Amino acid sequence: MIGNDHHGEADVSGSELGTWGGPKVEPGWTRNCLDPWNFVFIYAQGEVRPCCAYPKAIGDLNKTSLKNILNDEPVKKIRRNLLAGTLEGSMCDRCSMRAPIKVDDLKKKVKEFSVIGLCHKYLGRRVTDFEKWP
């Protein structure tokens, strides 16, 4: 069943895995997705999700700020899992909206896209602790 509590990863155990999304990613691969770094889906009632296909909220604007939601553990966990290729049991593993990509290639894309990458590109500042940043 697909869980819908408001914390952590969606529980996608059971028969829904066979009926939703695309094929699972292979070891060493992840999804070509920058959404957890540059996009959120906000419902009118205040529920925040990391993308339009994700079945559960990562926060609620009626309870906390968007800044806090985007820096809270649920979205950080999604980012870490994408960067590590540890998608087993998550909706991201079966996502049909984003193609598979090698983990190292996604890390490069995130680094280039991120504030860290933009600071280096436009301000000429080198940031060395990217690996610590989820």
Side-chain angles (χ1 to χ4, degrees):
M1 78 181 274
I2 299 176
N4 198 19
D5 66 6
H6 291 279
H7 301 286
E9 285 278 335
D11 174 12
V12 292
S13 59
S15 63
E16 286 86 352
L17 278 178
T19 59
W20 186 88
K24 296 172 73 170
V25 295
E26 298 295 323
W29 289 71
T30 188
R31 291 285 173 199
N32 189 8
C33 182
L34 295 175
D35 287 357
W37 290 272
N38 72 353
F39 175 87
V40 291
F41 193 82
I42 301 174
Y43 282 81
Q45 64 271 37
E47 187 176 271
V48 179
R49 295 184 185 195
C51 76
C52 64
Y54 205 77
K56 63 186 263 63
I58 56 170
D60 185 335
L61 292 175
N62 296 303
K63 298 177 182 175
T64 190
S65 70
L66 184 58
K67 180 180 177 181
N68 287 342
I69 292 168
L70 295 178
N71 289 296
D72 201 7
E73 187 55 29
V75 75
K76 284 182 175 184
K77 182 177 179 182
I78 294 167
R79 292 174 185 150
R80 281 192 308 268
N81 288 347
L82 282 166
L83 289 174
T86 53
L87 305 179
E88 183 71 33
S90 75
M91 289 302 293
C92 300
D93 193 23
R94 292 285 187 152
C95 178
S96 61
M97 299 178 73
R98 301 287 185 243
I101 186 174
K102 290 182 180 179
V103 169
D104 288 341
D105 292 340
L106 181 66
K107 285 181 179 182
K108 288 176 192 173
K109 287 179 78 169
V110 169
K111 188 173 182 179
E112 290 170 5
F113 175 79
S114 71
V115 172
I116 295 169
L118 293 175
C119 285
H120 178 65
K121 181 176 181 179
Y122 293 108
L123 301 177
R125 296 184 182 165
R126 187 168 201 99
V127 179
T128 59
D129 57 327
F130 169 73
E131 292 301 321
K132 297 177 188 174
W133 184 75

